[in-house]
């Protein structure tokens, strides 16, 4: 873990961990992180772009360095947001449990809150060591408006009773934006202005990302 981040976050009591592939990051992610920060009283939110998302081995994803750069420039004006290369630097698939263990080692006294999209979280039963994930962190599940998750949530609660008091649902209207929607608009040569920060759009254009999707 980056020394400067360790130093800054060591004073935190409640630490948000924003996990995602971020291909690309957009305003939906940023609003979700800010809403989680405010609603759950988090001191900081640490964005952790997945190095090798374990469930996307066969999919083409953008180079991790570019995804990290897009995250970095998107959060630079929010003093409560930081970005870490912890998953990018770790070799092999980016399992959330490994990341949480590492963070718990660095921040043993802090309350950890893992924030991710509800669609991603609904698969948590298939992730590596889900029960351990709930032991190490509370989970904040950010959903699109109108997302129907009750059936899946009931399954998670019944399989892992520990999750009952450790799983928070946040509805984020801005999550009507999605990375796949942005990639498909760029592929169809359509404007993506106002869906993500201008500087990220510039980086996407300079590197000709998503033109052949
Ligand atoms: P994904 O499958 O690409 O995304 C599923 C859905 O969740 C998409 O609608 C996505 O929207 C949304 N989403 C993803 N991250 C989000 C976030 N931080 N805030 C709000 N919405 C979000 O999921 P992913 O991004 O690759 O993975 C999400 C997290 O789960 C990552 O930290 C990943 O490492 C972890 N994960 C762990 C395991 C494991 O440990 N075995 C397996 C799978 C995922 P967008 O496309 O717009 O982002």
């Amino acid at each position: 873990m980056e020394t400067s981040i360790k130093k800054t976050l060591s004073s935190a009591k409640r630490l948000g961990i924003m996990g995602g592939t971020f291909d690309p990051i957009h305003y939906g992610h940023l609003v979700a992180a800010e809403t989680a920060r405010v609603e759950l009283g988090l001191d900081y939110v640490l964005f952790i772009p997945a190095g090798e998302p374990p469930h996307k081995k066969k999919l083409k994803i953008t180079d991790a360095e570019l995804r990290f750069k897009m995250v970095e420039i998107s959060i630079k004006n929010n003093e409560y947001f930081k970005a870490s290369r912890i998953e990018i630097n770790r070799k092999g698939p980016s399992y959330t449990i490994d990341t949480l263990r590492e963070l718990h080692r660095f921040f043993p006294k802090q309350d950890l809150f893992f924030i991710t999209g509800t669609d991603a979280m609904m698969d948590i039963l298939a992730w590596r060591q889900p029960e351990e994930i709930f032991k190490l962190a509370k989970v904040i599940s950010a959903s699109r408006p109108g997302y129907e998750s009750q059936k899946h949530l009931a399954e998670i609660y019944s399989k892992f009773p520990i999750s009952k008091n450790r799983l928070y649902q946040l509805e984020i209207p801005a999550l009507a934006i999605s990375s796949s929607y942005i990639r498909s608009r760029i592929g169809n040569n359509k404007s993506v202005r106002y869906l993500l920060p201008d500087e990220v759009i510039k980086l996407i254009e300079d590197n000709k990302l998503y033109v052949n999707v």
Side-chain angles (χ1 to χ4, degrees):
M1 150 104 358
E2 299 87 333
T3 316
S4 63
I5 292 182
K6 256 195 266 178
K7 213 171 149 193
T8 311
L9 302 193
S10 60
S11 64
K13 289 195 172 73
R14 292 161 75 85
L15 186 55
I17 299 148
M18 183 75 172
T21 300
F22 302 125
D23 194 14
I25 189 166
H26 51 68
Y27 282 129
H29 297 130
L30 296 166
V31 172
E34 180 68 359
T35 306
R37 183 183 77 76
V38 171
E39 295 295 321
L40 288 140
L42 308 177
D43 298 297
Y44 289 97
V45 177
L46 187 58
F47 284 67
I48 304 193
E52 283 180 34
H55 56 311
K56 292 184 176 168
K57 285 183 185 144
K58 289 190 182 139
L59 300 177
K60 185 174 167 269
I61 59 167
T62 303
D63 173 67
E65 288 304 326
L66 281 173
R67 288 184 289 111
F68 185 78
K69 186 89 202 141
M70 292 193 272
V71 168
E72 245 186 348
I73 57 184
S74 301
I75 66 171
K76 68 178 180 198
N77 292 329
N78 188 327
E79 62 189 299
Y80 304 110
F81 287 180
K82 305 285 168 202
S84 171
R85 321 173 76 89
I86 187 172
E87 289 195 352
I88 292 178
N89 290 348
R90 199 169 63 223
K91 295 276 169 282
S94 308
Y95 294 112
T96 298
I97 187 62
D98 296 340
T99 304
L100 292 176
R101 285 206 173 108
E102 214 170 326
L103 289 170
H104 181 63
R105 233 185 6 258
F106 293 130
F107 307 111
K109 293 191 185 132
Q110 280 83 342
D111 259 345
L112 303 180
F113 293 77
F114 182 72
I115 310 162
T116 198
T118 300
D119 308 5
M121 209 278 308
M122 287 304 163
D123 280 339
I124 201 165
L125 296 177
W127 293 11
R128 186 172 275 202
Q129 301 181 11
E131 190 158 16
E132 291 304 306
I133 291 179
F134 283 114
K135 281 184 189 159
L136 283 175
K138 292 172 181 151
V139 176
I140 302 175
S141 163
S143 66
R144 308 206 143 86
Y147 189 97
E148 193 35 78
S149 54
Q150 290 317 314
K151 198 172 140 242
H152 282 93
L153 281 179
E155 199 184 336
I156 294 171
Y157 292 150
S158 92
K159 197 138 190 204
F160 301 116
I162 185 182
S163 66
K164 274 190 189 143
N165 303 318
R166 299 181 69 82
L167 182 55
Y168 302 83
Q169 280 274 85
L170 282 185
E171 191 176 282
I172 309 290
L175 278 176
I177 304 171
S178 72
S179 302
S180 56
Y181 177 63
I182 290 170
R183 293 194 302 270
S184 121
R185 286 190 68 84
I186 295 172
N188 289 305
N189 206 18
K190 289 185 174 163
S191 165
V192 290
R193 269 187 96 178
Y194 311 121
L195 298 176
L196 64 175
D198 288 345
E199 278 185 71
V200 177
I201 298 178
K202 167 117 181 37
L203 191 143
I204 289 172
E205 287 169 355
D206 289 349
N207 289 278
K208 300 189 172 46
L209 300 181
Y210 316 124
V211 281
N212 296 315
V213 287

